[in-house]
Amino acid sequence: SQQGEEDPQALSIQEGENATMNCSYKTSINNLQWYRQNSGRGLVHLILIRSNEREKHSGRLRVTLDTSKKSSSLLITASRAADTASYFCATDGPGGGADGLTFGKGTHLIIQP
Amino acid sequence: DSGVTQTPKHLITATGQRVTLRCSPRSGDLSVYWYQQSLDQGLQFLIQYYNGEERAKGNILERFSAQQFPDLHSELNLSSLELGDSALYFCASSPRDAANSPLHFGNGTRLTVT
């Protein structure tokens, strides 16, 4: 089954810097979602971008989608210590997600104060 | 707070045993999804129910089963447990029967098989 793959696996930056995470997937999608997970907690939905959209913003988050390259990026601007978490992309499929959302293995982001 | 409730938070049991994990979806959500998260496999989709009916099956072992009840809560049953079943099990819910809306996750049940 298709799977999103995040890159890098881990990222450590200073507070105030921007953090960029990338996601690649294998087959066509209807939409792509990004989630955040704090250690040992449930995932929290951040943003959903549809296949006919190229960019979407939500607060300090900016997501881009390039369906020709089967890739997406998540940019967090002006990072804060509270942004420390793992970030996952999730994709559905041509069938509208009949096999559930497929998650990548995540990028572990550490924001150093 | 996502509105999705999972119980218990922690489970420690021995190999060969059977456990039941429970999930109450967010109010108004008809779809329930079960995921398994482990360090080596990441988040694996197990199964989805919509309004009481099974809708999609992922990498769910035959030793595992689930159901969704008329009040929409769901249970995941894990039997003949093995050490490798140790993981975080998440339930998520959404209003509709499609992956074009956000999933709302519970905080999971951490299962340890000894």
Side-chain angles (χ1 to χ4, degrees):
Chain A
S1 63
Q2 65 181 356
Q3 183 174 34
E5 293 285 343
E6 292 89 346
D7 172 64
Q9 290 186 347
L11 178 63
S12 179
I13 61 174
Q14 295 294 125
E15 194 167 21
E17 294 180 339
N18 296 341
T20 300
M21 289 157 273
N22 303 298
C23 167
S24 60
Y25 55 91
K26 295 176 184 175
T27 65
S28 63
I29 59 171
N30 294 309
N31 68 74
L32 183 144
Q33 303 183 40
W34 284 91
Y35 288 80
R36 183 188 76 216
Q37 183 182 30
N38 289 89
S39 180
R41 308 281 288 181
L43 281 75
V44 175
H45 177 263
L46 295 175
I47 201 162
L48 181 153
I49 186 166
R50 304 192 189 285
S51 59
N52 61 354
E53 297 175 309
R54 292 295 168 258
E55 189 170 311
K56 207 161 182 180
H57 296 256
S58 176
R60 293 183 296 112
L61 306 181
R62 172 179 168 249
V63 167
T64 62
L65 179 64
D66 187 336
T67 52
S68 67
K69 294 181 180 178
K70 292 186 172 58
S71 67
S72 173
S73 68
L74 170 66
L75 168 67
I76 303 174
T77 60
S79 63
R80 305 168 182 169
D83 295 329
T84 294
S86 291
Y87 292 82
F88 297 86
C89 67
T91 55
D92 69 346
D99 296 324
L101 280 180
T102 303
F103 287 81
K105 291 196 174 182
T107 291
H108 184 50
L109 175 65
I110 298 172
I111 308 299
Q112 298 182 6
Chain B
D1 183 9
S2 67
V4 177
T5 304
Q6 287 189 249
T7 57
K9 290 184 180 179
H10 301 277
L11 258 181
I12 301 175
T13 189
T15 54
Q17 295 299 305
R18 171 189 169 96
V19 296
T20 298
L21 283 54
R22 182 188 168 100
C23 169
S24 293
R26 206 175 55 139
S27 178
D29 285 357
L30 299 179
S31 271
V32 169
Y33 305 77
W34 285 98
Y35 283 85
Q36 178 194 59
Q37 185 177 38
S38 60
L39 280 175
D40 54 342
Q41 293 293 321
L43 263 165
Q44 297 289 314
F45 168 67
L46 297 178
I47 198 164
Q48 179 208 352
Y49 281 83
Y50 175 76
N51 205 21
E53 294 192 3
E54 181 184 307
R55 292 293 292 168
K57 231 172 183 176
N59 301 321
I60 188 166
L61 300 172
E62 287 191 7
R63 301 183 285 108
F64 296 179
S65 65
Q67 54 183 328
Q68 186 180 29
F69 295 87
D71 67 352
L72 301 178
H73 91 271
S74 178
E75 291 181 356
L76 178 66
N77 300 297
L78 315 176
S79 62
S80 302
L81 285 167
E82 302 175 359
L83 295 177
D85 298 328
S86 295
L88 260 174
Y89 291 84
F90 287 106
C91 166
S93 71
S94 71
R96 296 184 295 273
D97 176 26
N100 58 5
S101 59
L103 298 188
H104 300 271
F105 282 79
N107 282 324
T109 292
R110 183 174 293 280
L111 173 66
T112 303
V113 182
T114 62

